[in-house]
Amino acid sequence: NAGVTQTPKFQVLKTGQSMTLQCAQDMNHEYMSWYRQDPGMGLRLIHYSVGAGITDQGEVPNGYNVSRSTTEDFPLRLLSAAPSQTSVYFCASSPSGQGDEKLFFGSGTQLSVL
Amino acid sequence: AQTVTQSQPEMSVQEAETVTLSCTYDTSENNYYLFWYKQPPSRQMILVIRQEAYKQQNATENRFSVNFQKAAKSFSLKISDSQLGDTAMYFCAFMKRSGGYQKVTFGTGTKLQVIP
């Protein structure tokens, strides 16, 4: 019963480096999303997907890319890391259309960009 | 655009006492969901309670209950018999559905400290 698996848990990058945050879910959820959490700002939506092959931008998409080639996986790519991207990142998934919508979260990634 | 406001950045409560966390939201939607999520120091986001807007009855989960006032756009969380394990950040969240698209907006959180 893995739920939403997010890796890595911690990461330190230098400015300009790129990396991919991995997210996988085993609940056959159509909806997946990425959030960043900053002190005093709650969780803000970066990108989301309503199914394989379909992605769209959220509230704060700049500097991030996503793709959804399978139902299970939804990786988040940082193209050229900047100190402003220091944050905690959460992946979440949700069933859709069945009246049981709610977000299931991964355990988060603490990212520091130096 | 939806907004969710949590006006209490920090609160404290004595163990075994009752505390209420406030949340208001702004929307023109009629069908939506409201949630309270708990984030303990472990960082994990845990669903506490869920309310469907079309249901007038307030949701309850053991010691947790909500006061959902749709007309006032208010969604407060009451924690009864507070326990030390309730110490956490609490986030109010609003979800609207439009076909397969779900948009979730979070408040800025309330940090709750349960005092022994």
Side-chain angles (χ1 to χ4, degrees), chain A residues 9-10 31 35 37 40-43 48 50 88 90 94-97 99-103 105-110, chain B residues 33 35 37 39 42-47 50 52 54 89 91 95 97 99-109:
Chain A
K9 294 191 186 307
F10 301 93
Y31 184 83
Y35 292 86
Q37 181 182 13
M41 302 188 75
L43 279 75
Y48 67 95
V50 298
V88 178
F90 286 97
S94 173
S96 60
D100 57 351
E101 291 87 340
K102 56 189 172 185
L103 291 178
F105 284 90
S107 56
T109 298
Q110 172 74 60
Chain B
Y33 303 92
F35 308 88
Y37 280 88
Q39 186 180 42
S42 67
R43 198 173 68 199
Q44 183 67 46
M45 294 289 287
I46 302 165
L47 178 64
R50 175 180 183 268
E52 298 172 46
Y54 66 87
M89 281 288 287
F91 291 97
M95 176 193 282
R97 280 187 54 209
Y101 165 63
Q102 301 174 357
K103 177 170 172 58
V104 183
T105 304
F106 286 85
T108 52

Side-chain angles (χ1 to χ4, degrees), chain A:
Chain A
N1 191 15
V4 180
T5 302
Q6 195 178 329
T7 57
K9 294 191 186 307
F10 301 93
Q11 184 70 49
V12 179
L13 292 177
K14 294 181 179 179
T15 297
Q17 287 185 316
S18 62
M19 79 159 295
T20 299
L21 305 184
Q22 301 292 343
C23 178
Q25 52 92 8
D26 61 358
M27 297 173 282
N28 201 33
H29 288 168
E30 293 182 357
Y31 184 83
M32 295 186 74
S33 52
W34 277 100
Y35 292 86
R36 60 178 288 172
Q37 181 182 13
D38 301 292
M41 302 188 75
L43 279 75
R44 293 181 294 168
L45 181 65
I46 304 171
H47 285 286
Y48 67 95
S49 170
V50 298
I54 306 170
T55 64
D56 206 346
Q57 296 180 350
E59 182 182 357
V60 287
N62 292 341
Y64 307 95
N65 271 359
V66 293
S67 60
R68 184 99 178 266
S69 57
T70 66
T71 300
E72 294 78 18
D73 299 300
F74 191 46
L76 178 72
R77 298 181 185 86
L78 279 69
L79 308 174
S80 177
S84 61
Q85 294 179 304
T86 293
S87 187
V88 178
Y89 291 84
F90 286 97
C91 177
S93 72
S94 173
S96 60
Q98 304 299 320
D100 57 351
E101 291 87 340
K102 56 189 172 185
L103 291 178
F104 294 78
F105 284 90
S107 56
T109 298
Q110 172 74 60
L111 175 67
S112 296
V113 182
L114 307 178

Side-chain angles (χ1 to χ4, degrees), chain B residues 13-40:
Chain B
V13 62
Q14 292 290 137
E15 193 175 6
E17 296 294 308
T18 296
V19 64
T20 298
L21 281 58
S22 301
C23 174
T24 59
Y25 58 95
D26 185 23
T27 185
S28 58
E29 303 287 332
N30 194 44
N31 293 321
Y32 51 88
Y33 303 92
L34 294 162
F35 308 88
W36 280 98
Y37 280 88
K38 169 186 177 181
Q39 186 180 42

Side-chain angles (χ1 to χ4, degrees), chain B residues 2 12-13 21 42 47 52 58 60 72-73 75-76 88 93 107:
Chain B
Q2 282 68 228
S12 62
V13 62
L21 281 58
S42 67
L47 178 64
E52 298 172 46
N58 290 326
T60 62
K73 297 179 183 175
F75 184 61
S76 59

